[in-house]
Amino acid sequence: MIEQIGGNSLAYVLLDATVKGVLVLALAAGVSRILSRGPASVRHLVWSLALCAVLVLPALTLLVPSWSVPGLSRVAPAETPAVEAGTEQVAPRARETGSARIPPAKARAERPGRFSVAAQSIATAGGGSAGESGVATILEDEPARLSLSGWLALAWLAGALIALAGIIAGLARTWCIARRARTVTGGVLSGATAELAAECGLARPVTVLQCDGKCMPMTWGVIRPRILLPSGAATWPDALLRAVLRHELAHVRRFDYLTQLLARLACAVYWFNPLVWIAARQLRIERELACDDQVLRAGSRASDYAGFLMEIALSMRPRPLTSLATVAMARPSQLGGRLRAVLDSKRSRGSLNPRIAALFILGAALVVLPIAAAAPGQGATVSDDTGSNATVSDDTGSDDTVSSEAARGEAVSELRGAVAGTGVAERAAFAPEIVARSVRSSRTASRAAAALCDWDARGGSTSTWMEGDDDELQVKISKDDCELEIDLSGEITFSADETDIVALSSGGELEIEEKEGRSSRRIKIEADGSGNLERRWWVDGREQAYDDEARAWLGDMILVLFRRVGYQATERAERILARDGVDGLLQEISYISSDHTAGRYFAVLLSQGDLDPETVRRVVRQAGEDIQSDYELARLLIEVAENQPLDESVQIAYLEAAGSIDSDYEQRRVLSAILKRENLSPQVGRSMLQASSDISSDYELASLLVELVEAGFVTDEMTGDFFRAVGTIDSDYEMRRVIDAALKHGQPSQRFLEMALETAQEISSDYELAQLLVDVADMYPMDRQIPASYLAAAGSISSDFELSRVLAKLMERGDLSPASLAAVLELATEISSDHEMSGLLKTVARSYGLDDRTRGAFFRAADDIDSDFELAAVLSTVVTSDWVTEADVEAVLESALEISSDHEMATLLVEVAGRHSVDGRLRPAYMRAVETVDSRYQRERVMTAAFGEEA
């Protein structure tokens, strides 16, 4: 764990201070043990000094000059990352793939891409494996995570805040008690306090407060101390009152409130260390014993005072939370040990002599300062696999070297590992790239130890601020506990190998400063009027001669200026491309940790007009691995989609890179861009459909699916994949939009229509579902029966208006079979609105008519109408229709029995009598209806219409 933390991070400082604090507390425990029969005041001083030392250890560790302790790295973290046997720590660090090292890929390549599996199916569907098509499978690593030191820092912060919250709550509680308590300004309590304060030599004014009830005597405050007593303290016996006041005044005189707060703070900072809590507890014990000794030295009898303590501890209770921010006189949990100590006549009860206190403080400083300054010894030499040695130096000034033989051995080993198991042709193509990469790694490794921080490493918490341009530039970079400032004015000319500055424009200046904890490096280069360069070099704030170490450090900082800041990015990329070709430029991009800078280098490569598909594929794959920024990666991929050749291998790489984008918006933009190209593999659409469910944004997913439809990728073979993707959309509007677009794009097949209807049942919005069903009703083949899926979807609509709209749309087609019409009428019984039901049934009556298969369903639906007006209107429509038969009229008369309004019933019956003869078969049904009319006037009107005046 210690090796993984490394550096002067917050986690390192805490762990370092914890290890050293254990040593300090162990020494304090040993001294306290030796003084076990001595005065409690001396032991209290020992524990106070120990806890104060533990509290200031982190600051002392950063402030005092360090000294190296060989072997300390076994128990304390080193300030530089540990070097493991068999490896070289170089910058930039490489990760291993197989037996060959490749440049570090960024976090997006370290998780499975959305299209990784699907894209590989393109090559397989094309008739060969990925290897046969010249496409190598991407090796994806684990996703970037918060560093171990970051997690430890967060855990520490959470615990510290909880502990500090307790202290703050105690202070707030004490403040409330002080506001509610009464201040004693005279009488017995005030006089006794003043007398006893003068007796013990206390010069600070003490305020005495009285609470309501039996509160525990306690004290708090440093500059203006307060003593809290219960309400009945003035009536106590004189011996008890004086014992209590002497005890509390002893706390005030000894500044016990301050030492307790410091102990509480130490517990908050080191909440994870049980030894600190034990030390704080021991401090409280010795504090009370020292004050008890003060009371006994003043003349109180031990037996009487023990009784007082027992009485106060058992009859009074401290207020909640006050123990965190006050010094209480007696607690039941501490009573047993205190009583034994009070009654022990052999104990030493001497006071703390100022000279003895000064000697202890001086001794503590002489012990704590060297412990705080101790640093782990470094300079261990390790061997690599070739037998050559790599030396990592400590802070004593030894040179940082990496054997050139080791570098060459690494290159050879890497080349051998890379070509192992490959074909002859592949080895011939791959070898130059590996050799170039290994040489570049060797060159970087030779300067690896110069910089304080690894600015090329991915991950960590990094922030960059830049202002100006290439001629006037200010840069500030923070990464974890590292800081880098660059201030540049004027034009710079670099050496051919870009490791030094050979010229600055007249009056130009470059200043670079790197800091990590207590360590710092700074260089300042100025050009005089003649163009001569003056170089000044500082190490840890001390100016030194400009030497090889300074040159190596400047070389590393120039790389940071190029790679992270992006200085002269376009010009440098063009130089590298002209000098080292495509391989060299891609190799350099792999070391660039800034996504924006890497994008500018990629842009230079893509601006070349003669790129072959293989080069484009390599660019796309490396960009997908190296670029973390969704925006930067999307911009690059869109550039590829719009301007570069896209053969099958490029399409595979393109989908892989797109799948690593987290942003739904950027991913959809990237996929939309490639869909605009012609001659795409049919499997591109299938791959997108199979993996598009990973897009969480309903809008972006719906937009992509619509574009796939419009691009013609949603064929009958892909219908299942398409609707599985549609089914993942939560938004009713977006789901309807996608299905609607698919239905309107060409003539949908029967299978497509049925799957659309099944998927539509997932739409919960009545409006959206109704709108979709209305659209489907327009395009469904007229010679086919309405499928059950359509009726099931319609049946899920709860809105009477929307359901009637859907059913009315079906009826408006005019081609429903009797069976379909009967099904529609059965579904209409779900409509509870009389108005909507009436309108729907009147449409049936006008457009279709009734027969033996539909008559029963029609009148069952009519019977659900509660409104006399609406029911009469429906029945009137049937009666006045041209197709009506005697059986229909008889059914109308049976249904009319539900009408309770005399007016509506009479009007309907008059209409029946006017159009049909009510003699014979219809007469019984007609007369049953007449009998329901209560109004004599309406009954006469009905009978006259049916049978004339003689009725």
Side-chain angles (χ1 to χ4, degrees), residues 698-699 701-703 705-706 722-743 755-765 768-769 772:
D698 290 336
Y699 172 78
L701 177 55
S703 299
L705 294 176
V706 170
F722 176 78
F723 283 106
R724 274 190 291 273
V726 175
T728 64
I729 298 176
D730 293 325
S731 167
D732 295 327
Y733 169 77
E734 298 298 346
M735 181 180 286
R736 197 268 300 171
R737 180 166 74 97
V738 173
I739 297 176
D740 193 57
L743 292 174
M755 293 198 70
L757 292 172
E758 291 176 2
T759 306
Q761 296 180 43
E762 301 295 327
I763 298 177
S764 57
S765 167
E768 299 297 344
L769 179 54
L772 177 63

Side-chain angles (χ1 to χ4, degrees), residues 24 279 367 401 922:
V24 170
V367 171
T401 61
L922 293 180

Side-chain angles (χ1 to χ4, degrees), residues 603-797:
V604 170
L605 182 54
L606 292 175
S607 66
Q608 309 303 306
D610 56 348
L611 293 182
D612 58 273
E614 173 60 21
T615 300
V616 176
R617 180 189 66 81
R618 293 176 60 196
V619 168
V620 169
R621 285 209 161 170
Q622 183 168 330
E625 293 178 350
D626 286 355
I627 297 182
Q628 284 183 316
S629 167
D630 290 338
Y631 171 77
E632 296 293 343
L633 179 57
R635 185 170 66 172
L636 184 144
L637 292 177
I638 291 172
E639 169 69 20
V640 169
E642 292 176 348
N643 301 302
Q644 299 300 329
L646 296 179
D647 67 1
E648 191 174 34
S649 66
V650 176
Q651 294 172 30
I652 295 173
Y654 191 96
L655 290 180
E656 291 277 3
S660 66
I661 296 176
D662 288 327
S663 167
D664 294 328
Y665 168 74
E666 298 296 351
Q667 187 180 85
R668 197 268 303 166
R669 281 209 311 145
V670 168
L671 298 177
S672 298
I674 195 174
L675 285 174
K676 296 176 183 177
R677 294 293 295 267
E678 298 179 354
N679 302 322
L680 293 178
S681 168
Q683 296 299 319
V684 168
R686 182 179 294 276
S687 298
M688 289 187 188
L689 287 175
Q690 291 174 345
S692 60
S693 58
D694 287 335
I695 298 178
S696 57
S697 166
D698 290 336
Y699 172 78
E700 300 300 343
L701 177 55
S703 299
L704 176 63
L705 294 176
V706 170
E707 291 170 354
L708 282 167
V709 168
E710 294 173 348
F713 280 105
V714 184
T715 61
D716 287 342
E717 294 78 12
M718 297 184 186
T719 298
D721 292 331
F722 176 78
F723 283 106
R724 274 190 291 273
V726 175
T728 64
I729 298 176
D730 293 325
S731 167
D732 295 327
Y733 169 77
E734 298 298 346
M735 181 180 286
R736 197 268 300 171
R737 180 166 74 97
V738 173
I739 297 176
D740 193 57
L743 292 174
K744 294 177 179 178
H745 186 79
Q747 184 64 35
S749 65
Q750 176 75 13
R751 177 169 176 263
F752 193 93
L753 281 169
E754 291 177 356
M755 293 198 70
L757 292 172
E758 291 176 2
T759 306
Q761 296 180 43
E762 301 295 327
I763 298 177
S764 57
S765 167
D766 289 338
Y767 170 79
E768 299 297 344
L769 179 54
Q771 188 61 47
L772 177 63
L773 293 177
V774 167
D775 293 338
V776 172
D778 282 334
M779 64 184 63
Y780 205 82
M782 293 187 178
D783 58 343
R784 293 194 179 96
Q785 183 175 339
I786 298 176
S789 55
Y790 187 99
L791 297 176
S796 67
I797 297 176

